[in-house]
Every structure is written in C-alpha cells, then in structure tokens.
Amino acid sequence: SKEARDKSFKAFAADPDWQKAAKESEKDGRLVSKIESVFLTATDYSPVLKVAKGDGDRVFELRTYTATTGNLGHLNDRFKNHTLKLFEKHGMTNVVYWNALKGQKGEDTLLIYLLAHKSEDAAKKSFDAFRMDPAWVAARKASEEKAGGSLTEKDGVKSEFLKPTDYSPLK
C-alpha cells in the first residue's frame, strides 16, 4: 500500500548506512536534480511481473496512454480483450500494465505499461506489423465506435525506450 511504502521509505531515509552512502556519493555535488513519483496499480489483465533476466540483451519500452474523458475503461477493455494477444503475435513481450492509483493525478485517464523487445529496430518492425494487422484494425474500430470516438487524447500516446542498468533485477 502507499501507506506501507511511506513508512518504509521514511525508515530507509533515516538509516545511518544510507545517510552515509548518500553523503559520500554527493561529495562532489548532487547526483539527482528531480524526483518524480507516480503510484500505480496493476490492471486486472496485467501479466504477473517477473523480475528476471530475459533471453540476452533486450530493451524495454515504457508507454503512457492518456485516455479521453470517460474512456479509460474502454481503453483497458481493448487491451485486455485484443491488444495484449496481438502484441505477443507480433513479437512483443508484455511485461506489466498499470493504471494510476486512486487519488493520484491521472487515476481516471492513465494507462502505463512496459513492453520488452529484442531491440529498438525490432520494436519498430513489430509495431508496423501490429498496426497493419486486420484484427487490430477491427478491434480499434469497434472499440472507438462503442466509445463514441478516439480512446486516447490527441498526442496522448508517449513512448520511451529504456535500457536496464547493470544492477537492475529486471533484464
């Protein structure tokens, strides 16, 4: 829970070993200029997050969708009933899907998820094939007709490629 996180983080920040490590690491200046936190909750269709090494090197793609007013449920339904299976069909690995935790900014508009790809080039090829798939075209059309228009805001889909650090448990 958010409350448990707050309690744990407070204890972590007060830990003398952490305070010493932080002080030593910043002897030549601050390492971090800004911290942003968004509390997320897994969707009911999200695969269980498996923190493990993948097969060889891979990249992750963090995708953030901003739903149009009242359409986050329709967007989640489309992912649950169609999109995840089509991503797999086109070589993408579904890692985890989240919505913003109730009480957080974006609780009624944000879908945030993580995909894994063999490379950025493989991701582009997979998405190109996905977008042309007749099953996707039909699912998109049907979901938008049901919702009365686009499920995402104009410029409401953001993509960012990430490479895990050498110490990350998720590879």
Side-chain angles (χ1 to χ4, degrees):
S1 71
K2 184 178 180 304
E3 292 77 22
R5 178 267 183 203
D6 291 345
K7 183 179 175 184
S8 295
F9 202 81
K10 186 176 179 180
F12 169 74
D15 183 281
D17 290 337
W18 162 247
Q19 291 176 351
K20 180 181 176 190
K23 185 176 179 179
E24 287 175 7
S25 69
E26 293 186 336
K27 68 180 181 246
D28 295 324
R30 292 183 56 123
L31 299 177
V32 178
S33 62
K34 182 180 178 181
I35 297 173
E36 292 183 40
S37 292
V38 178
F39 291 90
L40 306 169
T41 185
T43 64
D44 62 351
Y45 57 87
S46 180
V48 174
L49 179 60
K50 297 174 189 158
V51 179
K53 286 189 173 234
D55 297 330
D57 290 334
R58 61 183 179 166
V59 297
F60 293 91
E61 184 180 8
L62 180 67
R63 295 180 64 89
T64 303
Y65 285 42
T66 303
T68 50
T69 303
N71 280 324
L72 182 59
H74 292 291
L75 184 61
N76 277 316
D77 286 346
R78 185 167 74 195
F79 271 81
K80 180 188 326 186
N81 298 322
H82 305 286
T83 308
L84 270 75
K85 290 177 257 179
L86 291 168
F87 281 172
E88 290 287 339
K89 174 182 173 184
H90 293 289
M92 297 178 248
T93 301
N94 295 296
V95 178
V96 65
Y97 289 77
W98 299 286
N99 293 129
L101 191 65
K102 187 173 179 157
Q104 294 283 298
K105 181 180 176 185
E107 71 177 285
D108 55 353
T109 58
L110 288 180
L111 170 63
I112 300 171
Y113 64 98
L114 195 61
L115 296 171
H117 307 280
K118 291 180 180 176
S119 65
E120 285 187 54
D121 188 51
K124 181 185 179 325
K125 289 177 183 172
S126 292
F127 265 106
D128 286 347
F130 165 78
R131 288 183 191 101
M132 300 300 293
D133 190 309
W136 162 243
V137 173
R140 180 178 179 177
K141 182 179 182 207
S143 66
E144 289 180 350
E145 285 175 357
K146 183 177 181 181
S150 177
L151 301 185
T152 57
E153 293 286 341
K154 183 178 190 295
D155 300 321
V157 177
K158 306 275 189 240
S159 168
E160 182 177 1
F161 283 93
L162 308 169
K163 181 179 179 192
T165 59
D166 62 351
Y167 55 86
S168 175
L170 182 64
K171 299 276 186 185

